[in-house]
Each structure stands twice: as structure tokens, then as C-alpha cells.
Amino acid sequence: MSDLEVLERLVGPSSKEVVDIGCGGGALVRALTARGAKVIGVEVNEEQLAPALRSDDGGSGARYLIGRAQELPLEDASVDAAVFMRTLHHVPPGELLSALREARRVLRPGGVAYVAEPLAEGEFYTFTSLVEDEREVRAAAQQAIDDAPLAGLERGERVEYEVRLCLAGLDAFAARIISVDPARGELFEARKTLVAEAFARLGEPGGRPGERCFPVPMRADVLRRPAATA
């Protein structure tokens, strides 16, 4: 099962207005736009938004804006769905509920905030922890989801699933983690030998030379803005 398949099943984003919070390279923005959604991708700065702008052909109708999850550059009640695809745990722990309140603010009544988070378990987590251990921030994100009613969002369906992630080599892994947080570059270089050993040992061989594939356990939550506006 893929992240997109679960999102489509729980939210049905086609024909809806969607904001992708922490859009990265824009892959989800492009995928949803191709399925008929009207999508805005938001990233924290020009550097992290640049790959999305380079990959977009300009004809999809997608928009890209600079902004933080805690201060979205959108009008009140302007979208049907706000998506955090593996991004909520990158919000500082003390500001997680602020991010969910912002999601509620930009949602229309009855709209949904969709949060998909990787779980702190499995071989891929063991591998990535050699560069940066995210156990505490992932736990904080899960707690914020549980506390979503404090942000004015109703808890909805929760689904646990697994995706298969294949990396062409160690350079592909480095590019993936550094694109999320450029500060990880120095950590990766300092621990490169250890990371290389783990890359060769964990997961399983993929279909291409040097490729390793890992199962990644995920949890998706639907948080709904109440239909009543009172």
C-alpha cells in the first residue's frame, strides 16, 4: 500500500482544494494535481522549495508558497484538506498544537487535516537513527494528534499501514535526509562509514545494483474541523 493510496481512501482529495504542508520536492502536489485536486504546496524557505519549482512544468495549476505550518500563508476557511505527509514531527514540539490550530483555521467547516507519520520502529528507523534519532519528536507528534481536540479538531479514522521504500544507494539516502534538514549533512559525513555498513546489512536487495529496500511502518490520522461554525 502506498501513502497516496491511503490518502485517497481516507480523504478522497480529487476535485478538492488541498494544502500540502511541508511539500518538499512537490511529488505529492503533482500527484494530487494529476488526480484533479487544486493544490497549494507550502515550504519553509526558498531553498527547500526550489526542487518543487524545478520539477513543476508550470502547466498543472499547482501553486507553491513559502510559509511555516504554524503560520500558513492562506486565508481562513480556504481549503478542503490540509495534508501533513511525514512532516508534522518536523514542527518544534512546543508548536505542534499551533500547527494543528493553523490547519483548522484554513479548513472549511467539515474539512479534514490528514496526518501521516512514520512510526519509530523497524529497520529503516534503526538505519536513519544513525544520522538523527527522531524518537522524541515523533512521539511528540503522536501526542499532538491525540490532543487534536485542544486545537479544535475532531479525531477521526486512524489507519496503520506499511510502505516499501527503495534507495538506489547511499547517496540517494543522503539526498533524502538532507533535503528535509540541510543540517544533517555534517552528521551524515561524520558517520558515513557506520551508515554505509548498516545500509549493506539492513533491509533487502532491490531490483537494481546497489539498491536496498526497507519496509516503513506508518500511521495515518484524519482530524476533522466540525461542520458547525459556532
Side-chain angles (χ1 to χ4, degrees), residues 77-130:
S78 57
V79 297
D80 302 303
V83 177
F84 295 87
M85 182 62 76
R86 305 168 184 259
T87 56
L88 186 63
H89 68 278
H90 294 297
V91 175
E95 300 177 37
L96 285 163
L97 281 179
S98 294
L100 293 181
R101 289 190 187 98
E102 268 293 272
R104 183 194 186 281
R105 179 185 68 79
V106 303
L107 287 171
R108 298 185 176 106
V112 299
Y114 177 85
V115 186
E117 280 286 303
L119 300 178
E121 56 189 59
E123 286 194 338
F124 189 66
Y125 175 73
T126 299
F127 177 51
T128 57
S129 294
L130 295 173

Side-chain angles (χ1 to χ4, degrees), residues 28-45:
L28 182 61
V29 173
R30 294 188 294 276
L32 293 179
T33 299
R35 286 162 174 77
K38 185 176 180 180
V39 191
I40 300 170
V42 175
E43 257 301 348
V44 295
N45 56 46

Side-chain angles (χ1 to χ4, degrees), residues 14-29:
S14 299
S15 79
K16 293 182 178 178
E17 294 187 70
V18 180
V19 57
D20 180 11
I21 303 169
C23 66
L28 182 61
V29 173

Side-chain angles (χ1 to χ4, degrees), residues 154-169:
E154 297 175 345
R155 294 282 307 281
E157 189 173 356
R158 167 174 284 180
V159 173
E160 293 194 359
Y161 63 103
E162 187 175 272
V163 298
R164 178 178 168 88
L165 173 64
C166 293
L167 297 168

Side-chain angles (χ1 to χ4, degrees), residues 176-213:
R176 179 184 178 89
I177 61 169
I178 294 170
S179 68
V180 174
D181 181 0
R184 291 175 174 174
E186 291 185 11
L187 286 170
F188 175 81
E189 288 300 326
R191 302 173 185 175
K192 190 170 184 178
T193 299
L194 184 64
V195 174
E197 292 173 351
F199 186 75
R201 173 170 47 87
L202 299 173
E204 61 183 20
R208 297 172 293 179
E211 185 177 61
R212 303 294 292 180
C213 295

